[in-house]
Amino acid sequence: ATPLVVALAESLRALRTVPMEEHWQRCRRLAAACRAGLQAIGMKLVARRPADGMTAAYLPAGIDGREFLARLYSRFGVRVSGGQGQLSGKILRIAHFGAIDEVDLLGAIAAIELALVEFRQIVKLGSGVGAASEVLAAARSATNQ
């Protein structure tokens, strides 16, 4: 398990490069943008009060979650998680911790939009990316004031 210990040490080293509050703020910003983006394309959030570490949303009825996630990866190179237990095949989950930035999030939302269209869902392309971008831009301008 030496590679795991080395990876953990490197992750902790990276975490210490900025104050922990900055990590939390980044996660909060990404989570708000993700929720806005997914809701703009008609996806319903799983949690009524979602945590900032991860966003979970229901896939539209009739879409097989495993097939959808496989398409996201094979077609766009985007990895998101599926549901577990009762929610297996019904939801997707997007993490906001780790080496994930604004461009990664916007790319994932764009890929979700395109994949939904490929699964014959009615989606106004760009609506999710636009909503998420607005949240990110507002958060940036609020911190620059």
Side-chain angles (χ1 to χ4, degrees), residues 82-119:
Q84 299 172 332
Q86 297 175 351
L87 296 176
S88 181
K90 297 177 183 175
I91 68 168
L92 59 77
R93 297 178 294 146
I94 300 174
H96 309 305
F97 281 112
I100 298 165
D101 63 18
E102 295 172 351
V103 173
D104 294 326
L105 178 66
L106 294 174
I109 293 171
I112 290 167
E113 288 180 4
L114 290 168
L116 285 171
V117 169
E118 290 180 5
F119 276 75

Side-chain angles (χ1 to χ4, degrees), residues 2 12 36 47 54 56 60 62 98-99 104-106 113 120 125-126 132 139 143 145:
T2 302
L12 292 173
M54 178 185 64
D104 294 326
L105 178 66
L106 294 174
E113 288 180 4
R120 296 186 172 90
L125 293 175
T143 56
Q145 292 180 359

